[in-house]
Amino acid sequence: MGTILYAWLVPHFPLILYYMYAYGHCANLAGLQKGLLILAAVAMILYHFYSTVRLHIWPLHHKNESGSFRVGVQYGGTFLIRIGIWGGWLQLLHYLLFYVFLPEEIALLKLKLDITTNTNTKLLLTFDIIYTMIFLFLFLLNGCLRVILCCHRLGIVKRLLICLNMWIPIVNLFLIHYLARAAKDEYSIYVARNQNASVRQASQDCRTKYPLIMVHGIGFRDLKFFNYWGRAPRYLERNGATIYYGHQKAWGTIEENAIAIAQTIDRVLSETGAEKVNIIAHSKGGLDSRYLISHLGYADKVATLTTMSTPHRGSALVDFLNALPKPLFRKLTQILDRSFAAFGDDTPDSFASAQQLAPAYCKEFNERTPNAENVLYQSYASVMRFSFSDPLLFFPHLILWWMTGERNDGLVTESSAQWGNFLGTLKSKTVRGISHGDMIDLKREDIKGFDSIEIYQSIVQNLKQNGF
């Protein structure tokens, strides 16, 4: 109710102040009455200035339950949008009421003002309309900018489309509603996540018996300032998890990367005094880890292996690439190798790494790499619902679906990702689906019906509950 009154009355404060001045000018007021009138006018000016500045800078600052400053900023934007929208409709009703349904009363008021104050009331009322429109527009602009700049759910493409189409009448109303909805949904996710984190932190739900080794996939490295696994590790550590990273090569072969992971495990066991480790691996990292367990004698040092979208049966995309002219394919891999070598990757070999993801190679790999009996193997898959669900993987998803006819995440089919105890296919509640990159929170984007942070926290919680 307070928001409605604010959006209706406050934009007209300059006009109300003038009416107060006109009343004082034409009425025969005593000294005390004039003093009270002036005091009321000063109070209104101060309130108008304070409330407007505070709302633009600190809207809903005392109601942010998300635990995130960024999310609080964008959620405040929804309140500003609400003021702008409510204010727009209220002002429309206001002007219809006073200038359409009560024209005679307004005409008498104009005439009285013209006679007593020598004021052009048409100019005054025109100023009121312009001031009100600017006043409410600034709230809408501030609110939309907050959401566009801070909401992770939008992504780069959506932000661009919104900015390009925001100036189209009628269309902008739908876009403003979409921005408010996106910000509200993200705020709800963070509130629930913050509440869950408070409970978990007190109970240390992610403090597993064995430390975690998180093993990245092909084409990436474990960097200090950009975590391959997105926001999940920070939440896991906050709730008691002990996390290390594989630090294998971006374009190393399975054998080379397995050796690097083995060195990491030896160091972790030495530092922590633990007997074993739990491995969570994404994409090709799952194959590197399986080779480590079965061929390097680490079955007694690894308690569990959880693979996320790992191509255990290969990816038909490699067959597609192999069908290209060999000089072209070789040239592409050489460009990749030079690029990653420039950033410090030791002897990258993207051609050899890619060949190890071919379905024929993986079939042979599976035959000579059986599961270790004393290691728990479990896996997850994900699927995109349509090729345009993730613009980065549009063509790979389309090609993979065309070649196999199977649902896939843009790089790996659902059946190929299944290994050991299959825990399910991760999806979202919308047509977007979950891509290969979404599994590791690559874009740091909150997707409706899918929370990557909660997924990893549930994985680690289950490991703890099962004694790992």
Side-chain angles (χ1 to χ4, degrees):
M1 189 63 183
T3 303
I4 294 175
L5 289 174
Y6 181 89
W8 174 36
L9 295 176
V10 173
H12 300 289
F13 268 15
L15 183 63
I16 295 172
L17 287 171
Y18 183 81
Y19 285 157
M20 292 172 67
Y21 160 76
Y23 174 73
H25 186 272
C26 66
N28 188 18
L29 300 178
L32 179 60
Q33 292 174 320
K34 284 186 178 180
L36 291 175
L37 191 64
I38 293 172
L39 185 62
V42 171
M44 287 180 62
I45 293 172
L46 292 176
Y47 173 75
H48 184 278
F49 177 78
Y50 167 76
S51 62
T52 303
V53 172
R54 191 192 73 79
L55 285 172
H56 274 287
I57 299 177
W58 303 295
L60 299 179
H61 69 288
H62 60 292
K63 296 182 180 179
N64 182 15
E65 300 176 359
S66 66
S68 168
F69 176 76
R70 175 188 63 81
V71 177
V73 169
Q74 67 165 343
Y75 188 61
T78 65
F79 180 68
L80 298 179
I81 289 174
R82 193 157 63 245
I83 291 177
I85 295 295
W86 270 107
W89 288 114
L90 288 170
Q91 300 314 319
L92 180 61
L93 293 174
H94 171 88
Y95 290 118
L96 285 174
L97 174 65
F98 285 97
Y99 300 108
V100 176
F101 298 109
L102 299 173
E104 295 182 4
E105 291 81 353
I106 295 300
L108 289 173
L109 177 61
K110 288 180 181 179
L111 180 61
K112 188 173 183 179
L113 283 174
D114 287 338
I115 295 172
T116 57
T117 62
N118 296 319
T119 301
N120 186 335
T121 52
K122 289 185 178 180
L123 182 62
L124 179 65
L125 295 173
T126 301
F127 169 80
D128 176 66
I129 294 173
I130 295 174
Y131 180 86
T132 300
M133 291 176 62
I134 294 175
F135 182 86
L136 296 174
F137 172 76
L138 290 176
F139 276 104
L140 279 175
L141 180 63
N142 188 359
C144 291
L145 285 176
R146 282 168 173 262
V147 178
I148 290 172
L149 295 175
C150 297
C151 186
H152 282 166
R153 298 195 66 190
L154 297 179
I156 296 175
V157 175
K158 289 181 181 178
R159 284 185 174 92
L160 182 61
L161 291 175
I162 288 171
C163 291
L164 291 175
N165 294 282
M166 184 60 79
W167 314 107
I168 303 175
I170 306 301
V171 173
N172 51 20
L173 295 177
F174 290 98
L175 293 177
I176 289 171
H177 174 75
Y178 174 78
L179 288 175
R181 172 55 60 183
K184 185 178 179 181
D185 289 344
E186 185 165 334
Y187 178 77
S188 300
I189 291 172
Y190 270 76
V191 170
R193 189 179 291 165
N194 190 41
Q195 292 172 346
N196 291 337
S198 299
V199 175
R200 288 177 179 138
Q201 192 168 8
S203 60
Q204 295 287 284
D205 278 359
C206 296
R207 185 178 292 279
T208 55
K209 179 180 179 180
Y210 305 121
L212 300 173
I213 308 291
M214 303 191 79
V215 179
H216 66 70
I218 195 170
F220 287 87
R221 298 176 62 196
D222 291 312
L223 302 174
K224 182 178 181 180
F225 299 106
F226 180 82
N227 198 309
Y228 177 85
W229 298 89
R231 296 164 289 177
R234 183 172 71 252
Y235 281 86
L236 293 174
E237 289 176 329
R238 183 187 301 174
N239 299 320
T242 302
I243 297 178
Y244 294 86
Y245 301 97
H247 291 294
Q248 75 274 32
K249 298 178 183 180
W251 295 101
T253 63
I254 291 175
E255 295 78 9
E256 291 173 331
N257 285 350
I259 293 173
I261 300 169
Q263 294 171 350
T264 298
I265 291 176
D266 291 340
R267 177 173 58 83
V268 170
L269 296 181
S270 175
E271 289 180 6
T272 63
E275 297 177 357
K276 297 182 179 182
V277 298
N278 295 306
I279 297 178
I280 299 178
H282 177 247
S283 194
K284 178 176 171 288
L287 301 181
D288 300 339
S289 301
R290 284 178 53 202
Y291 185 91
L292 160 84
I293 295 169
S294 299
H295 294 280
L296 299 187
Y298 274 69
D300 59 341
K301 296 181 181 180
V302 177
T304 66
L305 170 62
T306 304
T307 59
M308 314 293 290
S309 297
T310 292
H312 292 286
R313 293 165 185 81
S315 175
L317 287 173
V318 179
D319 290 341
F320 175 81
L321 292 173
N322 284 330
L324 298 175
K326 277 196 173 182
L328 175 61
F329 190 13
R330 283 286 190 180
K331 187 66 176 178
L332 292 174
T333 57
Q334 287 171 4
I335 293 172
L336 275 176
D337 292 343
R338 285 196 295 269
S339 301
F340 276 81
F343 285 100
D345 202 25
D346 184 27
T347 60
D349 192 346
S350 56
F351 181 81
S353 299
Q355 295 306 311
Q356 290 185 327
L357 298 179
Y361 183 91
C362 286
K363 181 180 180 180
E364 178 190 347
F365 175 84
N366 293 335
E367 291 173 354
R368 58 186 175 86
T369 311
N371 291 347
E373 293 183 0
N374 57 333
V375 177
L376 172 65
Y377 293 82
Q378 52 187 11
S379 59
Y380 281 96
S382 67
V383 293
M384 294 164 56
R385 295 184 185 272
F386 301 99
S387 294
F388 53 79
S389 296
D390 188 337
L392 293 175
L393 295 173
F394 175 87
F395 288 109
H397 177 271
L398 193 63
I399 293 169
L400 196 53
W401 180 83
W402 172 68
M403 294 186 68
T404 65
E406 288 189 59
R407 300 192 303 175
N408 65 84
D409 63 5
L411 293 177
V412 181
T413 61
E414 185 177 17
S415 62
S416 182
Q418 300 180 24
W419 193 261
N421 181 24
F422 182 58
L423 299 177
T425 300
L426 301 176
K427 308 172 185 177
S428 67
K429 292 182 179 179
T430 63
V431 296
R432 187 190 187 291
I434 306 302
S435 72
H436 198 74
D438 294 332
M439 290 285 275
I440 54 168
D441 194 27
L442 182 64
K443 298 179 182 177
R444 276 61 171 171
E445 179 182 354
D446 292 313
I447 303 168
K448 188 173 183 178
F450 173 78
D451 190 336
S452 63
I453 296 173
E454 284 295 321
I455 292 295
Y456 286 99
Q457 291 192 142
S458 66
I459 290 172
V460 178
Q461 279 182 283
N462 288 333
L463 291 176
K464 178 184 178 180
Q465 292 171 1
N466 290 319
F468 297 108

